Amino acid sequence: MVSRKVEQALNAQVAKEAISSQIYLAMASWAEVQGLEGIAAFLYSHSDEERMHTLKLMHYINERGGHAVVPALPKPPAGMKNIMDVFKSILQQEIEVSADINAIVDLCLKEKDYTTHNFMQWYVAEQIEEERLARTLLDKLNLIGNDKAGLYLFDRDLMGGKGQGAKSQ
Ligand code: OFO
């Protein structure tokens, strides 16, 4: 059974993950309109991943005797300045989510909720990967600068939708 405090914190995280999903979705649509198909595929796929993060939390809350609440979501930004701006926002978003996850882990220890603490370790590990990926892609974009051929290759690398190109280089 989750305590009321932990339930509230987990429900707040449900909203955060759903917001992340919406942000990635908005960015995906923007990239698609710019003709950046690979980047769009990566962002659409990541939006799905964030929805999976949302659902995983919701199931956990319900399985532990709480009630997962579907949150109202703010409208994500529709327009981006450029692709660099997109990946800077992504890194910022992931850093914020990591801080939220750490705060829940901290609360679990205070509440002596070792079951939820254990469950949250999946999110802790996931955030390390999410931040790493965002930093790697941002580093690549910094290297590319204004080189159009470089952006073409970056976009092509992300065509698989998972950022594998970024991982293997
Ligand atoms: Fe759910 O990891 Fe990104 O935000």
Side-chain angles (χ1 to χ4, degrees):
M1 189 85 186
V2 279
S3 70
R4 188 83 190 113
K5 265 193 193 165
V6 170
E7 181 184 1
Q8 276 171 356
L10 292 176
N11 265 318
Q13 194 58 32
V14 165
K16 289 285 177 75
E17 300 288 346
I19 288 168
S20 282
S21 180
Q22 291 284 90
I23 289 174
Y24 278 101
L25 191 59
M27 289 173 172
S29 179
W30 176 85
E32 195 166 39
V33 168
Q34 308 299 312
L36 297 165
E37 273 180 80
I39 294 169
F42 167 77
L43 294 168
Y44 277 123
S45 163
H46 209 100
S47 173
D48 287 346
E49 258 186 52
E50 297 296 352
R51 180 167 159 78
M52 187 274 281
H53 298 173
T54 310
L55 290 175
K56 192 176 171 77
L57 275 165
M58 291 181 73
H59 291 312
Y60 178 80
I61 296 167
N62 290 338
E63 278 161 15
R64 297 289 300 155
H67 181 189
V69 179
V70 176
L73 300 176
K75 189 173 187 292
M80 322 287 156
K81 262 196 292 185
N82 50 45
I83 199 63
M84 190 64 129
D85 208 36
V86 166
F87 282 91
K88 273 187 190 160
S89 309
I90 285 176
L91 178 57
Q92 196 46 45
Q93 174 70 10
E94 293 304 343
I95 289 171
E96 282 171 27
V97 170
S98 296
D100 296 332
I101 299 286
N102 289 342
I104 296 176
V105 170
D106 198 41
L107 176 67
C108 290
L109 290 177
K110 286 193 184 109
E111 293 280 299
K112 296 190 175 11
D113 182 345
Y114 303 114
T115 309
T116 306
H117 182 274
N118 184 50
F119 168 76
M120 289 308 294
Q121 296 313 303
W122 184 90
Y123 286 87
V124 171
E126 181 67 14
Q127 281 314 119
I128 294 170
E129 178 54 25
E130 300 261 279
E131 282 191 40
R132 186 202 66 77
L133 181 57
R135 281 202 176 86
T136 304
L137 294 175
L138 204 47
D139 285 349
K140 280 175 182 279
L141 283 170
N142 269 317
L143 279 175
I144 290 167
N146 292 325
D147 177 7
K148 289 234 168 20
L151 181 60
Y152 171 81
L153 292 174
F154 179 87
D155 185 60
R156 202 188 59 181
D157 273 3
L158 291 182
M159 195 58 92
K162 294 276 180 197
Q164 296 305 331
K167 282 177 189 171
S168 61
Q169 285 167 28

